[in-house]
Amino acid sequence: MQNVTTAIIPIAGLGTRFLPATKAIPKEFFPILDKPALQLVIEEAISSEIKRILLVISPLKGDPTLYFNPDSELEKQLTLKNQLHLLSSVHAIRSSAKIETVVQTKPAGLGHAILTAAPLLKKEEPFAVLLPDDLYLADPPCLRQLLDLSAKRKLPAIALLEVPPQEVSKYGIAQVNQLNKRTYRIERLVEKPKISEAPSHFALPGRYVVTHEIFRFLRKVRPGRGGEIQFTDALNEYAKEVPLLGYLIHGRRFDVGDICGYIEANVAYALIRPETGEQLRHNLRALLADE
Ligand code: G1P
């Protein structure tokens, strides 16, 4: 498998779980402390050595790349106040990766969103997919762990996460065959099965490394769960022909597409940040004691 340097990040969703807030702010720009969740996901991609990011966007939302563009007026003001460092993380992204967009004209599902980005990839190019509702505190970064496995075994690989039985219907679920401690061969995939029909408790938590061949399956797959073109369904057909690995990621994952997961991510990031950790720990203890 060739070296993977391009990542697709689909951000065309309307964020209905966070309405009315998402009427004003797209979900992917909700902050985790002081950074948009999308920036954290892009930083994960960059620290995993991704050089090109393809954002799949909705025509109903604004242009997300404006955030990464220089803002000369703001930079002038911050320079005068000696505070330009406040933008250094955004500047670092600009100098490390090329961010491009492609418009998904209709909300036809994750598989359709990924297929929309196909014309922007080089012929035969493998790529990564990062779903920005899934955020990781992991070292090495989650995508890096998958890329390392994929490079070592010369095979595509997807992240796995063990979830409680009552949560299987929220995820793509994998039937697996264990190869070693954290590595599995994917036998079959089902999108959001009922508890009674789930082949395991191994969920797909939003990180994938695949070869270009996946597009052949995405073009063929019929609408599945919710009448949408599901990435999981295309991966299921792909896994019948291409050996596909699953990897239980080291690290903590947050579902920031859910209100509790979003708050949990903010708390976890604040607890590990030296300027906020101690104060927050104290405040949370007092809050819980008053309950
Ligand atoms: C999507 C995928 C699902 C995956 C999940 C991870 O579902 O379709 O297979 O497990 O992301 O977050 P969504 O949560 O967007 O409905």
Side-chain angles (χ1 to χ4, degrees), residues 11 24 26 28-29 36 38-39 42 53 55 57-58 61-75 87 89-91 93-94 98-102:
I11 53 167
E28 53 283 359
F29 281 100
L38 176 62
Q39 180 172 348
I42 291 181
I53 312 266
L55 299 176
I57 63 173
S58 156
K61 289 158 64 179
D63 178 358
T65 59
L66 294 178
Y67 174 79
F68 300 98
N69 286 348
D71 179 336
S72 53
E73 194 46 44
L74 177 61
E75 284 170 24
L87 290 181
S89 65
V90 185
H91 291 174
I93 286 187
R94 241 178 12 237
K98 192 158 178 260
I99 302 180
E100 294 161 65
T101 58
V102 55

Side-chain angles (χ1 to χ4, degrees), residues 17 110 131 133-134 170-172 191-192 204-206 208 230 232 253:
R17 274 191 278 177
L110 176 61
L131 305 188
D133 272 354
D134 298 275
K170 284 171 53 183
Y171 298 96
E191 178 68 3
K192 305 197 174 93
L204 312 190
Y208 313 80
Q230 296 294 348
T232 306
R253 173 256 182 194

Side-chain angles (χ1 to χ4, degrees), residues 244-264:
L244 176 63
L245 300 177
Y247 188 69
L248 272 181
I249 297 295
H250 284 279
R252 186 176 281 274
R253 173 256 182 194
F254 303 95
D255 175 6
V256 297
D258 165 83
I259 291 185
C260 285
Y262 173 69
I263 293 170
E264 191 193 344

